[in-house]
Amino acid sequence: MGTVSPSGTWVYALRLPHDPRAARVARMTVRAALSSHGRQELLEVVELLACELVTNTYRHTSGPASLRLTALADGRLRVGVWDSHPRVPAPFGEPPWDRVTTAPVEAEGGRGLTLVQEYADSWGSWSLRDSPLDRGAGKLLWFEVGGRRDATPLSVAPSTVGAESWAREHGGAAT
């Protein structure tokens, strides 16, 4: 039995252990997938933003994570990162689309989510604890690039069917 998908669409999913090397593995996966599909124009920004989100899963959780790259039929690329922690950080929170404060110049970190606000065309989140799949399953943060850049970021969660599908495919709280 085969799967039918529109031309130019594809999906890659990667499960990542709670390991300091996870961000490097995610970066290499993004590079390989985008290069093999001829999407080099998105490579730098997707590599940077995906790596930042995966790094945050390592720094702020104690469990595994998942990375999913989805090429949409209209040319956009959606990147989702799931982790087991329920807290949704700015700028992924609820409307009015909370903004990340700028990190002090002397700070060694704290710029990753600012990069998402600056370079992603849209972004959003979905808390899996509020779903029918509630098992303390964490959250999904996503961003899109390659589409039309609006002045105001879209912070619309994936459809319930899409989010439930993500949770099923990525094991929810258990990996």
Coordinates of all heavy atoms in Angstrom, one line a residue, residues 2-73:
G2 N 0.7 2.1 -0.9 CA 1.5 3.3 -1.0 C 0.8 4.6 -0.5 O -0.4 4.6 -0.3
T3 N 1.5 5.6 -0.3 CA 1.0 6.9 0.2 C 1.0 7.8 -1.0 O 2.0 7.9 -1.7 CB 1.8 7.4 1.4 OG1 1.8 6.4 2.4 CG2 1.3 8.7 1.9
V4 N -0.1 8.5 -1.2 CA -0.1 9.5 -2.2 C 0.1 10.9 -1.6 O -0.6 11.2 -0.6 CB -1.5 9.5 -3.0 CG1 -1.6 10.6 -4.0 CG2 -1.7 8.1 -3.5
S5 N 1.0 11.7 -2.1 CA 1.2 13.1 -1.7 C 1.4 14.0 -2.8 O 1.8 13.6 -3.9 CB 2.4 13.2 -0.7 OG 3.5 12.8 -1.4
P6 N 1.0 15.3 -2.7 CA 1.1 16.2 -3.8 C 2.6 16.3 -4.2 O 3.5 16.2 -3.3 CB 0.6 17.5 -3.2 CG -0.2 17.1 -2.0 CD 0.3 15.8 -1.5
S7 N 2.8 16.6 -5.4 CA 4.2 16.8 -5.9 C 4.9 17.9 -5.1 O 4.4 18.9 -4.8 CB 4.1 17.2 -7.4 OG 5.4 17.5 -7.9
G8 N 6.2 17.6 -4.8 CA 7.0 18.6 -4.1 C 6.8 18.6 -2.6 O 7.4 19.4 -1.8
T9 N 5.9 17.7 -2.1 CA 5.8 17.6 -0.6 C 6.6 16.4 -0.1 O 6.7 15.4 -0.8 CB 4.3 17.4 -0.2 OG1 3.8 16.2 -0.7 CG2 3.5 18.6 -0.7
W10 N 7.0 16.5 1.1 CA 7.8 15.4 1.8 C 7.8 15.7 3.3 O 7.6 16.8 3.7 CB 9.2 15.2 1.2 CG 10.0 16.5 1.0 CD1 10.1 17.1 -0.2 CD2 10.7 17.2 1.9 NE1 10.9 18.3 -0.1 CE2 11.3 18.3 1.2 CE3 11.0 17.1 3.3 CZ2 12.1 19.3 1.9 CZ3 11.8 18.0 3.9 CH2 12.3 19.1 3.2
V11 N 8.1 14.7 4.0 CA 8.2 14.8 5.5 C 9.3 13.9 6.0 O 9.5 12.8 5.6 CB 6.9 14.3 6.2 CG1 7.0 14.3 7.7 CG2 5.7 15.1 5.7
Y12 N 10.1 14.5 6.9 CA 11.2 13.8 7.6 C 10.9 14.0 9.1 O 10.7 15.1 9.5 CB 12.6 14.3 7.2 CG 13.0 14.0 5.8 CD1 12.8 14.8 4.8 CD2 13.7 12.8 5.6 CE1 13.2 14.5 3.5 CE2 14.1 12.5 4.3 CZ 13.8 13.3 3.3 OH 14.2 13.0 2.0
A13 N 11.0 12.9 9.8 CA 10.9 13.0 11.3 C 12.1 12.3 11.9 O 12.5 11.3 11.5 CB 9.6 12.3 11.7
L14 N 12.5 12.9 13.0 CA 13.7 12.5 13.7 C 13.5 12.5 15.2 O 13.1 13.5 15.7 CB 14.9 13.4 13.3 CG 16.2 13.1 14.0 CD1 16.8 11.8 13.6 CD2 17.2 14.3 13.7
R15 N 13.7 11.4 15.8 CA 13.6 11.3 17.3 C 14.9 11.6 17.8 O 15.9 11.0 17.4 CB 13.1 10.0 17.7 CG 11.6 9.8 17.4 CD 11.2 8.4 17.9 NE 9.8 8.1 17.4 CZ 8.8 8.1 18.2 NH1 8.9 8.2 19.4 NH2 7.6 7.8 17.6
L16 N 15.0 12.4 18.9 CA 16.3 12.8 19.4 C 16.3 12.4 20.9 O 15.4 12.8 21.7 CB 16.5 14.3 19.3 CG 16.6 14.8 17.8 CD1 16.3 16.2 17.7 CD2 17.9 14.5 17.3
P17 N 17.4 11.8 21.4 CA 17.5 11.5 22.8 C 17.9 12.8 23.6 O 18.3 13.7 22.9 CB 18.6 10.5 22.9 CG 19.5 10.8 21.7 CD 18.5 11.3 20.6
H18 N 17.7 12.7 24.9 CA 18.2 13.9 25.7 C 19.7 13.8 25.7 O 20.3 13.1 26.6 CB 17.6 13.8 27.1 CG 17.9 15.1 27.8 ND1 18.9 15.1 28.8 CD2 17.4 16.3 27.8 CE1 19.0 16.3 29.3 NE2 18.1 17.0 28.7
D19 N 20.4 14.4 24.8 CA 21.8 14.3 24.6 C 22.4 15.6 24.1 O 21.8 16.2 23.3 CB 22.1 13.1 23.6 CG 23.5 12.8 23.4 OD1 24.3 13.6 22.8 OD2 23.9 11.7 23.8
P20 N 23.5 16.0 24.6 CA 24.1 17.3 24.1 C 24.4 17.3 22.6 O 24.5 18.4 22.0 CB 25.3 17.5 25.0 CG 25.7 16.2 25.5 CD 24.4 15.4 25.6
R21 N 24.5 16.2 22.0 CA 24.8 16.1 20.6 C 23.6 16.2 19.7 O 23.6 16.2 18.5 CB 25.6 14.8 20.3 CG 26.9 14.8 20.9 CD 27.5 13.4 20.9 NE 26.7 12.6 21.8 CZ 27.2 11.5 22.4 NH1 28.4 11.1 22.2 NH2 26.4 10.8 23.2
A22 N 22.4 16.2 20.3 CA 21.1 16.2 19.6 C 21.0 17.4 18.6 O 20.5 17.3 17.5 CB 19.9 16.2 20.5
A23 N 21.5 18.6 19.0 CA 21.4 19.8 18.1 C 22.2 19.6 16.9 O 21.8 20.0 15.8 CB 21.8 21.0 18.9
R24 N 23.4 19.0 17.1 CA 24.3 18.8 15.9 C 23.7 17.7 15.0 O 23.7 17.9 13.7 CB 25.7 18.3 16.4 CG 26.6 18.0 15.2 CD 28.0 17.7 15.7 NE 28.9 17.6 14.7 CZ 29.3 16.5 14.0 NH1 28.7 15.3 14.4 NH2 30.1 16.5 13.0
V25 N 23.1 16.7 15.5 CA 22.4 15.7 14.7 C 21.2 16.3 13.9 O 21.0 16.1 12.7 CB 21.9 14.5 15.5 CG1 21.1 13.5 14.7 CG2 23.2 13.8 16.1
A26 N 20.5 17.2 14.6 CA 19.3 17.9 14.0 C 19.9 18.8 12.8 O 19.3 18.8 11.7 CB 18.6 18.7 15.0
R27 N 20.9 19.5 13.1 CA 21.5 20.4 12.1 C 21.9 19.6 10.8 O 21.7 20.0 9.7 CB 22.7 21.2 12.7 CG 23.2 22.3 11.8 CD 24.2 23.2 12.6 NE 25.2 22.5 13.4 CZ 25.2 22.5 14.7 NH1 24.3 23.1 15.4 NH2 26.2 21.8 15.4
M28 N 22.6 18.5 11.0 CA 23.1 17.6 9.9 C 21.9 17.1 9.2 O 21.9 17.0 7.9 CB 24.0 16.5 10.4 CG 25.3 17.0 11.0 SD 26.4 15.9 11.8 CE 25.8 14.3 11.4
T29 N 20.8 16.7 9.9 CA 19.6 16.2 9.2 C 18.9 17.2 8.4 O 18.5 17.0 7.2 CB 18.6 15.6 10.3 OG1 19.3 14.6 11.0 CG2 17.4 15.1 9.7
V30 N 18.8 18.4 8.9 CA 18.2 19.5 8.1 C 19.0 19.8 6.9 O 18.5 19.9 5.8 CB 18.1 20.8 9.0 CG1 17.9 22.1 8.2 CG2 17.1 20.7 10.1
R31 N 20.3 19.9 7.0 CA 21.2 20.1 5.9 C 21.1 19.0 4.8 O 20.9 19.3 3.6 CB 22.7 20.2 6.3 CG 23.6 20.5 5.2 CD 25.0 20.9 5.8 NE 25.0 22.1 6.5 CZ 25.1 23.3 5.9 NH1 25.2 23.4 4.6 NH2 25.1 24.4 6.6
A32 N 21.0 17.8 5.2 CA 20.9 16.7 4.3 C 19.5 16.7 3.6 O 19.5 16.6 2.3 CB 21.1 15.3 5.0
A33 N 18.5 16.9 4.3 CA 17.1 16.9 3.7 C 16.9 18.1 2.8 O 16.5 17.9 1.6 CB 16.1 16.9 4.8
L34 N 17.3 19.3 3.2 CA 17.1 20.4 2.3 C 18.0 20.4 1.1 O 17.6 20.7 0.0 CB 17.3 21.7 3.1 CG 16.2 22.0 4.2 CD1 16.5 23.3 4.9 CD2 14.8 22.0 3.6
S35 N 19.2 20.0 1.3 CA 20.1 19.9 0.1 C 19.6 18.8 -0.9 O 19.7 19.1 -2.1 CB 21.5 19.5 0.6 OG 22.1 20.5 1.4
S36 N 19.2 17.7 -0.4 CA 18.7 16.7 -1.3 C 17.5 17.0 -2.1 O 17.2 16.5 -3.1 CB 18.6 15.3 -0.6 OG 17.5 15.4 0.3
H37 N 16.7 17.9 -1.5 CA 15.4 18.4 -2.2 C 15.6 19.7 -2.9 O 14.6 20.3 -3.3 CB 14.3 18.5 -1.1 CG 13.8 17.1 -0.7 ND1 13.0 16.4 -1.5 CD2 14.1 16.4 0.4 CE1 12.7 15.2 -0.9 NE2 13.4 15.2 0.2
G38 N 16.9 20.2 -3.0 CA 17.1 21.4 -3.7 C 16.5 22.7 -3.1 O 16.2 23.6 -3.8
R39 N 16.5 22.7 -1.8 CA 15.9 23.9 -1.0 C 17.0 24.6 -0.3 O 16.9 25.1 0.8 CB 14.9 23.4 0.0 CG 13.7 22.7 -0.6 CD 12.8 23.5 -1.6 NE 12.4 24.8 -1.1 CZ 11.2 25.0 -0.5 NH1 10.4 24.1 -0.3 NH2 10.9 26.2 -0.1
Q40 N 18.2 24.8 -1.0 CA 19.3 25.5 -0.4 C 19.0 26.9 0.0 O 19.6 27.5 1.0 CB 20.5 25.5 -1.3 CG 21.2 24.2 -1.5 CD 20.6 23.3 -2.6 OE1 19.5 23.6 -3.1 NE2 21.2 22.2 -2.8
E41 N 18.0 27.6 -0.6 CA 17.7 28.9 -0.2 C 17.1 29.0 1.2 O 17.2 30.1 1.8 CB 16.7 29.5 -1.2 CG 15.2 29.1 -1.1 CD 14.8 27.7 -1.6 OE1 15.7 27.0 -2.1 OE2 13.6 27.4 -1.6
L42 N 16.7 27.9 1.7 CA 16.1 27.9 3.1 C 17.1 27.4 4.1 O 16.9 27.4 5.3 CB 14.8 27.1 3.2 CG 13.7 27.5 2.3 CD1 12.5 26.5 2.4 CD2 13.2 28.9 2.6
L43 N 18.2 26.8 3.6 CA 19.1 26.1 4.5 C 19.6 26.8 5.7 O 19.5 26.3 6.8 CB 20.3 25.5 3.6 CG 21.3 24.6 4.4 CD1 20.5 23.4 4.9 CD2 22.4 24.3 3.5
E44 N 20.2 28.0 5.5 CA 20.8 28.7 6.7 C 19.8 29.0 7.8 O 20.0 28.8 8.9 CB 21.5 30.0 6.2 CG 22.8 29.7 5.5 CD 23.5 31.0 5.1 OE1 23.1 32.1 5.6 OE2 24.5 30.9 4.4
V45 N 18.6 29.5 7.4 CA 17.6 29.9 8.4 C 17.0 28.7 9.1 O 16.8 28.7 10.3 CB 16.6 30.9 7.8 CG1 15.6 30.2 6.8 CG2 15.8 31.5 8.9
V46 N 16.7 27.7 8.3 CA 16.1 26.5 8.9 C 17.1 25.8 9.8 O 16.7 25.4 10.9 CB 15.5 25.5 7.8 CG1 15.1 24.2 8.4 CG2 14.4 26.2 7.1
E47 N 18.3 25.7 9.4 CA 19.3 25.1 10.2 C 19.5 25.8 11.5 O 19.6 25.2 12.6 CB 20.6 25.1 9.4 CG 21.7 24.2 10.0 CD 23.0 24.2 9.1 OE1 23.3 25.3 8.4 OE2 23.6 23.2 9.0
L48 N 19.6 27.1 11.4 CA 19.7 27.9 12.6 C 18.6 27.8 13.6 O 18.7 27.5 14.8 CB 19.9 29.4 12.3 CG 20.0 30.4 13.4 CD1 21.2 30.2 14.3 CD2 19.9 31.8 12.9
L49 N 17.3 28.0 13.1 CA 16.2 28.0 14.0 C 15.9 26.6 14.5 O 15.5 26.5 15.7 CB 15.0 28.5 13.2 CG 15.1 30.0 12.7 CD1 13.8 30.4 12.0 CD2 15.5 30.9 13.8
A50 N 16.0 25.6 13.7 CA 15.8 24.2 14.2 C 16.8 23.9 15.3 O 16.4 23.3 16.3 CB 15.8 23.2 13.0
C51 N 18.0 24.2 15.0 CA 19.1 24.0 16.0 C 18.8 24.7 17.3 O 19.0 24.1 18.4 CB 20.4 24.4 15.5 SG 21.8 23.9 16.5
E52 N 18.3 25.9 17.3 CA 18.0 26.7 18.5 C 16.9 26.0 19.3 O 17.0 25.8 20.5 CB 17.6 28.1 18.1 CG 18.7 28.9 17.7 CD 19.8 29.2 18.7 OE1 19.5 29.1 19.9 OE2 20.9 29.6 18.3
L53 N 15.8 25.5 18.6 CA 14.7 24.9 19.3 C 15.1 23.5 19.9 O 14.8 23.2 21.0 CB 13.5 24.7 18.3 CG 12.8 26.0 17.9 CD1 11.6 25.6 17.0 CD2 12.4 26.8 19.1
V54 N 15.9 22.8 19.1 CA 16.4 21.5 19.7 C 17.4 21.7 20.8 O 17.3 21.0 21.8 CB 17.1 20.6 18.6 CG1 17.8 19.4 19.1 CG2 16.0 20.2 17.5
T55 N 18.2 22.7 20.8 CA 19.1 23.0 21.9 C 18.3 23.4 23.1 O 18.6 22.9 24.2 CB 20.0 24.2 21.6 OG1 20.8 23.9 20.5 CG2 20.8 24.7 22.7
N56 N 17.2 24.1 23.0 CA 16.3 24.4 24.1 C 15.7 23.2 24.7 O 15.5 23.1 25.9 CB 15.2 25.4 23.7 CG 15.8 26.8 23.6 OD1 16.9 27.1 24.0 ND2 15.0 27.7 23.0
T57 N 15.4 22.2 23.9 CA 14.8 20.9 24.4 C 15.8 20.3 25.3 O 15.4 19.7 26.4 CB 14.3 19.9 23.4 OG1 15.4 19.4 22.7 CG2 13.3 20.6 22.4
Y58 N 17.1 20.3 25.0 CA 18.1 19.7 25.8 C 18.3 20.5 27.1 O 18.4 20.0 28.2 CB 19.4 19.6 25.0 CG 20.5 19.1 25.9 CD1 20.5 17.7 26.3 CD2 21.5 19.9 26.4 CE1 21.5 17.2 27.1 CE2 22.5 19.4 27.2 CZ 22.5 18.1 27.6 OH 23.5 17.6 28.4
R59 N 18.3 21.8 27.0 CA 18.6 22.7 28.1 C 17.5 22.8 29.1 O 17.7 22.9 30.3 CB 18.9 24.1 27.6 CG 20.3 24.2 26.9 CD 20.6 25.6 26.5 NE 20.9 26.4 27.7 CZ 20.6 27.7 27.9 NH1 20.0 28.3 27.0 NH2 20.9 28.3 29.0
H60 N 16.2 22.7 28.6 CA 15.1 22.9 29.5 C 14.2 21.7 29.8 O 13.1 21.9 30.4 CB 14.3 24.1 28.9 CG 15.0 25.3 28.8 ND1 15.5 26.1 29.8 CD2 15.5 26.0 27.6 CE1 16.2 27.1 29.4 NE2 16.2 27.1 28.1
T61 N 14.6 20.5 29.3 CA 13.8 19.3 29.6 C 14.8 18.2 30.0 O 16.0 18.4 29.9 CB 13.0 18.9 28.4 OG1 13.8 18.3 27.4 CG2 12.2 20.0 27.8
S62 N 14.2 17.1 30.5 CA 15.0 16.0 30.8 C 14.7 14.8 30.0 O 15.2 13.7 30.2 CB 14.9 15.7 32.3 OG 13.5 15.4 32.6
G63 N 13.8 15.0 29.0 CA 13.4 13.9 28.1 C 13.8 14.0 26.7 O 14.5 14.9 26.3
P64 N 13.3 13.1 25.9 CA 13.6 13.1 24.4 C 12.9 14.2 23.7 O 12.0 14.9 24.3 CB 13.1 11.7 24.0 CG 12.0 11.5 24.9 CD 12.4 12.0 26.2
A65 N 13.2 14.4 22.4 CA 12.6 15.4 21.6 C 12.4 14.8 20.2 O 12.9 13.7 19.9 CB 13.4 16.6 21.5
S66 N 11.6 15.5 19.4 CA 11.4 15.1 18.0 C 11.5 16.3 17.1 O 11.1 17.4 17.5 CB 10.1 14.4 17.8 OG 10.0 13.2 18.4
L67 N 12.1 16.1 15.9 CA 12.2 17.2 14.9 C 11.4 16.7 13.7 O 11.6 15.5 13.3 CB 13.6 17.4 14.6 CG 13.9 18.3 13.4 CD1 13.6 19.8 13.7 CD2 15.3 18.2 12.9
R68 N 10.6 17.5 13.1 CA 9.8 17.1 11.9 C 10.0 18.2 10.9 O 9.7 19.4 11.2 CB 8.4 16.9 12.3 CG 7.6 16.3 11.1 CD 6.2 16.1 11.6 NE 5.3 15.6 10.5 CZ 4.8 14.4 10.5 NH1 5.1 13.5 11.4 NH2 4.1 14.1 9.5
L69 N 10.4 17.9 9.7 CA 10.5 18.8 8.6 C 9.4 18.4 7.6 O 9.3 17.3 7.2 CB 11.8 18.7 7.9 CG 13.1 18.8 8.7 CD1 14.3 18.4 7.9 CD2 13.2 20.2 9.3
T70 N 8.5 19.4 7.2 CA 7.4 19.1 6.3 C 7.5 20.1 5.2 O 7.3 21.3 5.4 CB 6.1 19.2 7.0 OG1 6.1 18.3 8.1 CG2 4.9 18.8 6.1
A71 N 7.7 19.7 3.9 CA 7.6 20.6 2.8 C 6.1 20.6 2.3 O 5.5 19.5 2.1 CB 8.4 20.0 1.6
L72 N 5.5 21.8 2.3 CA 4.1 21.9 2.0 C 4.0 22.2 0.5 O 4.9 22.7 -0.2 CB 3.5 23.1 2.8 CG 3.7 22.9 4.3 CD1 3.2 24.1 5.1 CD2 2.9 21.6 4.8
A73 N 2.8 21.9 -0.1 CA 2.6 22.0 -1.5 C 2.8 23.5 -2.1 O 3.2 23.6 -3.2 CB 1.2 21.6 -1.9

